[in-house]
Amino acid sequence: KHLAYFILFIFYGMSSQASHILGGEIGYRHVSGLTYEIQVNLYGDCQGSSFPSLSAASTIARVAVFDGNSLFQDVSCTRYGDFGKEITPVCPVDSLNTACTIPTSTIPGIAEFKFSYTITLPSTSANWRFIFSGQLDNSNNSYAGRSGQITNIDQSSGTTIVYLEATLNNTNGANSSPVLTTIPTPFFCINQPQ
């Protein structure tokens, strides 16, 4: 019996100098035995003031691996795939007019940044936790901050840091977290069916 996962996509308040993340996801893929690939995907706001630094400088995403509340290991997920690829789901006529292509454009732009790390866990547990708390690179001052374009979250405590968590129970067998198959940033074209 496989008990899977959950993907948690939460933001919480902390001081930061970044303003470029619209969202993200964290998960894991079973490789073999007790070996798993941790995957972190961040969705960058091309209009965010710190977006250029995410694209150019972010080489790792720090993930803390816990067994319950006990830290097992901090890992550095490295960038992979088509890092920084634009995924803005706009109408075809606007595909070259987003903020990712034209920084001064009024049409938003979204780019995807993928990070991964392969880890071998020391044992099975019902309480494995993979936590990305916004830290990029090895600097204690480089955090992924929520985009200023998100206006329905309280900003009274200052810029918020992105926090993502996935859990794993591998006591009844190996399993992988679910994979989202759609772009998590929906846009809809006026007068066109969806």
Side-chain angles (χ1 to χ4, degrees):
K1 181 176 176 183
H2 293 231
L3 188 60
Y5 56 24
F6 80 90
I7 296 177
L8 184 61
F9 169 47
I10 299 177
F11 299 100
Y12 71 99
M14 289 178 93
S15 178
S16 174
Q17 299 185 9
S19 62
H20 50 274
I21 303 298
L22 289 169
E25 56 194 343
I26 187 170
Y28 49 86
R29 181 182 62 82
H30 179 252
V31 177
S32 68
L34 293 173
T35 302
Y36 291 83
E37 179 186 42
I38 301 167
Q39 300 166 337
V40 176
N41 293 348
L42 299 177
Y43 301 99
D45 173 8
C46 293
Q47 292 175 320
S49 62
S50 298
F51 178 78
S53 63
L54 174 66
S55 183
S58 297
T59 57
I60 66 165
R62 305 279 301 174
V63 172
V65 180
F66 287 86
D67 184 359
N69 291 323
S70 299
L71 178 66
F72 166 63
Q73 187 176 353
D74 275 317
V75 299
S76 298
C77 297
T78 56
R79 55 200 290 182
Y80 77 95
D82 202 357
F83 192 82
K85 174 184 175 185
E86 181 175 3
I87 60 165
T88 315
V90 295
C91 304
V93 69
D94 289 321
S95 64
L96 297 177
N97 297 320
T98 70
C100 292
T101 306
I102 304 169
T104 57
S105 177
T106 58
I107 300 171
I110 300 163
E112 181 178 47
F113 299 88
K114 295 181 175 188
F115 301 88
S116 72
Y117 182 85
T118 301
I119 187 169
T120 300
L121 302 174
S123 63
T124 60
S125 172
N127 301 303
W128 287 112
R129 298 167 54 215
F130 305 98
I131 299 172
F132 171 71
S133 56
Q135 189 175 357
L136 299 171
D137 299 320
N138 285 314
S139 167
N140 288 329
N141 297 320
S142 181
Y143 287 88
R146 178 176 51 84
S147 170
Q149 301 296 321
I150 300 173
T151 58
N152 63 348
I153 299 175
D154 180 22
Q155 298 183 56
S156 63
S157 62
T159 304
T160 57
I161 302 296
V162 175
Y163 177 91
L164 306 168
E165 180 174 339
T167 61
L168 165 66
N169 176 349
N170 62 350
T171 58
N172 294 320
N175 59 83
S176 298
S177 62
V179 175
L180 301 177
T181 58
T182 59
I183 296 172
T185 53
F187 286 59
F188 301 98
C189 302
I190 296 173
N191 299 321
Q192 293 186 22
Q194 291 291 317

